[in-house]
Amino acid sequence: VGSEMCIRDSEYARCVPFAEAFLRLTLQAQDKKNKTGAQNLGYEEWLALDRAGEVAFMLMESFYALGNGQAALDAYAQYFSRSKSEDKWRVMALCLVSEFLVQERDYLGAYPLLGEVLSIAPKAGLHDLAFTAGLMKGICVRQLGPSTEFETENGVGSGDRFINIKSPKNLASSEYK
């Protein structure tokens, strides 16, 4: 098992410089497109722009596999954070960052990203990721906990101020009676 991990890690490590070089070319193609217009792009430049999201996602995945989460977050910031597209690679990158943040117990950081996944994943045809993002948002809410105490099953609350407010658990169970 250890040798398999080493092989996989070396494959990820080999991928990184090629992905970074490809993405640098993509940025140059994007600059050319912005300055001279789309009609002046060659086939390779169009192909580079078309594949940029996929390569950026692969780069992020490689960094995470190599244990360099910060480099993966930097790659996300550079290639996806300014984009408002509904591209499947952006959705998957958002999921990757969200998963990393949840594993790091940064639930407050993951929550808005998961909300974004939930809103754009169905438009990108990734309904399973939207469902998973919804579940992960629930995990974030559960881990963050309420900011005030609510009445609980055994009657413990935070005073008279919240006496008529039911806990989420009680509220959910009363809806299905």
Side-chain angles (χ1 to χ4, degrees):
V1 174
S3 63
E4 289 176 15
M5 279 296 270
C6 184
I7 291 169
R8 211 170 341 141
D9 287 350
S10 69
E11 289 173 359
Y12 281 119
R14 279 194 315 242
C15 153
V16 169
F18 293 108
E20 289 176 328
F22 182 88
L23 291 170
R24 277 192 299 276
L25 292 174
T26 300
L27 291 175
Q28 290 173 353
Q30 186 64 45
D31 285 343
K32 182 178 177 182
K33 179 182 173 186
N34 291 341
K35 289 178 184 173
T36 64
Q39 68 275 7
N40 294 324
L41 293 179
Y43 174 75
E44 294 84 12
E45 293 164 322
W46 271 110
L47 187 61
L49 290 174
D50 185 53
R51 301 282 184 199
E54 183 177 0
V55 174
F57 175 78
M58 183 183 65
L59 179 63
M60 288 177 60
E61 197 171 40
S62 297
F63 283 138
Y64 280 129
L66 294 170
N68 193 346
Q70 186 56 50
L73 292 175
D74 292 343
Y76 172 81
Q78 184 172 4
Y79 299 109
F80 292 108
S81 66
R82 291 181 298 274
S83 172
K84 296 296 177 197
S85 73
E86 296 166 356
D87 177 57
K88 70 178 179 180
W89 297 109
R90 180 169 173 262
V91 172
M92 290 171 45
L94 281 165
C95 287
L96 201 59
V97 171
S98 299
E99 178 187 7
F100 174 76
L101 292 174
V102 168
Q103 287 177 356
E104 294 291 314
R105 300 183 187 277
D106 183 2
Y107 304 110
L108 202 54
Y111 188 82
L113 298 177
L114 291 166
E116 195 167 349
V117 170
L118 198 54
S119 69
I120 64 174
K123 297 172 189 168
L126 301 171
H127 301 281
D128 53 341
L129 288 182
F131 177 76
T132 304
L135 293 175
M136 287 176 70
K137 274 184 75 172
I139 290 169
C140 291
V141 168
R142 176 72 175 130
Q143 292 300 322
L144 289 169
S147 59
T148 59
E149 279 188 57
F150 289 103
E151 178 184 330
T152 61
E153 295 77 33
N154 60 8
V156 175
S158 64
D160 295 336
R161 205 169 92 183
F162 297 107
I163 199 73
N164 294 326
I165 299 175
K166 292 186 176 184
S167 70
K169 184 176 179 181
N170 285 341
L171 188 61
S173 65
S174 67
E175 282 186 29
Y176 296 104
K177 286 184 180 181

